[in-house]
Amino acid sequence: MADFRLPTDTIVRPDKDRFLSQMAQTGTFQSNEENPFEAMMSRFDRAAQLLDLEPGIYKVLRSPEKEITVSIPVLMDNGEVEVFTGIRVLHNTSRGPAKGGIRFDMNVHLDEVKALAAWMTWKCAVVNIPFGGAKGGVICDPLNMSVGELERVTRRYTSAIIQTLGPDSDVPAPDVNTNERVMAWLMDTYSMHVGHTVNAVTTGKPVEMGGSLGRREATGRGVMFTATQALEHLKMDVKGATVAVQGFGNVGSIGAQLMQQAGCKVVAASDRTGGWYNPKGIDIDDAIAHVKKAKTLAGYGKGEAITNEQLLELEVDVLIPAAMENVITTKNARNVKAKIVCEGANGPTTAAADAILDEKGIFVIPDILANAGGVTVSYFEWVQNRGGYYWDEQTVNDRLRSIMVNSFRDVLKLSQQHKVNMRTAAYMVAISRVATVHRLRGIYA
Ligand code: NAD
């Protein structure tokens, strides 16, 4: 049975995806290298140039379709009224409804939301699912709010942006500090407004009310599919391939577990408390059991203690950064010794570090491809909701495999044709898919 009185601590996930967090704290980024908007735009520009994108479509794709800012008055538990700011940005809907998460965080900022919405457009296009890109958020401090206050913020924000929401127009999902509980409130509020139950208005819902089986594991599973494809492409054995994983949360622990099940040897794993290295291989089920009890990898002990920095520089076949952004930079890229980097996290490599990894001949599976398993199963959730027919877990996993493998091959083919790395090729695949639809649809006037 689902517990609908979830405590605040399961709603708030403060260390998840602190994307662009420096921006709101300091008003600027630590360095230009670490500015993710720049990171995204420099890669977009390079791919657009190689595609010889016409200036009109270039301008269309650089501009978000819609930016909404709303005030959210909320009655707080102490009887006072607080007014929060909420944002929703739809970057591009030419290929289908906008898709993208909603975050509750003090660091939510319009520029950040615009960059992340565009990122979603490219991620959906690279795996060829019929969605555009969106992102949203509420500037608030969920760590210091009660469950009741969070519910009222969610419902008032939902009603404030209700014009854009809908299974055919804009479909949110959980993101930083939001979860399936928040999506259940959002779905309920939307349904109350339209007068009937519409579970396809959001994804990432509890399985009991239309969430998809296999969603929790989907991103890690997609990481495993793309990493094993890369090993096969490089004619390396999957069996016995050595793997190091940074981050042991949803993406990292499940990615590591599935890599091990595929026959790889996971020799290192870390989380925010540090990491463990064991050349004979770490038993990932055992490490997961430790984290279940102890909350972190601290004290795991079955191996040599290493730092997160050391983990990134280990001599392994596959390195999976699955914790946070900007961990491979110009400062350490030269020391990366992995043959394959599979980006489970969003933005783990800075744009400036790309060139160094390229020079070293490292095969990088870019984030917009490697971690797209999550949004792919979100798409399956939306399809199941709309069809009113639910798939078993094996069907979800098989269909995910087919999409991830085909997408990997599409990107690889373009990278070979144009002699560019996998990241540039992924952007080229994504941009050309969106641009093609714009050309076919024409400019409405
Ligand atoms: P999570 O909160 O479940 O896990 C994050 C992990 O990273 C934890 O083990 C944490 O201890 C570790 N970590 C935090 N700070 C660290 C640091 N400084 N050094 C080393 N480890 C650190 O989050 P998640 O859902 O696994 O997401 C991880 C990354 O993957 C994020 O970049 C997220 O945006 C991205 N991502 C997640 C999904 C998804 O479906 N969950 C989908 C696409 C992309």
Side-chain angles (χ1 to χ4, degrees), residues 13-19 103 123 135 174-176 215-220 246-253 270-274 291 295-297 308-309 321-325 327 343-348 367 370-375:
R13 306 177 69 197
D15 69 348
K16 191 186 172 199
D17 189 8
R18 310 296 299 179
F19 219 62
R103 54 181 59 185
K123 197 181 283 193
K135 208 80 181 188
D175 199 78
V176 179
R215 173 64 186 89
R216 195 181 68 84
E217 299 82 6
T219 307
Q246 182 185 57
F248 211 66
N250 175 283
V251 181
S253 69
S270 70
D271 67 9
R272 88 183 90 85
T273 65
V291 170
K295 303 277 179 246
T296 67
L297 280 170
N308 270 288
E309 292 70 30
M324 52 192 286
E325 74 281 6
V327 294
E343 296 185 336
N346 283 320
D367 47 8
N371 71 33
V375 75

Side-chain angles (χ1 to χ4, degrees), residues 140-205:
C140 63
D141 180 8
L143 280 170
N144 290 314
M145 290 164 69
S146 69
V147 174
E149 289 167 343
L150 284 168
E151 176 173 356
R152 294 195 287 280
V153 167
T154 306
R155 290 189 183 278
R156 187 65 192 243
Y157 170 67
T158 305
S159 72
I161 61 165
I162 205 134
Q163 250 70 339
T164 174
L165 296 178
D168 291 315
S169 53
D170 183 7
V171 185
D175 199 78
V176 179
N177 295 339
T178 57
N179 65 2
E180 58 179 34
R181 187 69 194 85
V182 174
M183 294 306 113
W185 289 325
L186 187 148
M187 176 277 206
D188 181 69
T189 307
Y190 181 85
S191 298
M192 289 295 131
H193 275 255
V194 299
H196 56 98
T197 294
V198 186
N199 48 22
V201 69
T202 180
T203 63
K205 297 180 295 293

Side-chain angles (χ1 to χ4, degrees), residues 126-127 218-219 221-227 229 365-377 380 397-411:
V126 88
V127 284
T219 307
R221 193 174 293 280
V223 163
M224 179 272 287
F225 287 141
T226 54
Q229 283 294 303
I365 312 167
D367 47 8
I368 58 169
L369 172 62
N371 71 33
V375 75
T376 301
V377 175
F380 294 164
N397 293 345
D398 289 347
R399 289 179 176 169
L400 174 63
R401 180 178 200 288
S402 146
I403 288 190
M404 295 306 295
V405 169
N406 289 339
S407 307
F408 180 91
R409 290 181 183 157
D410 289 346
V411 172

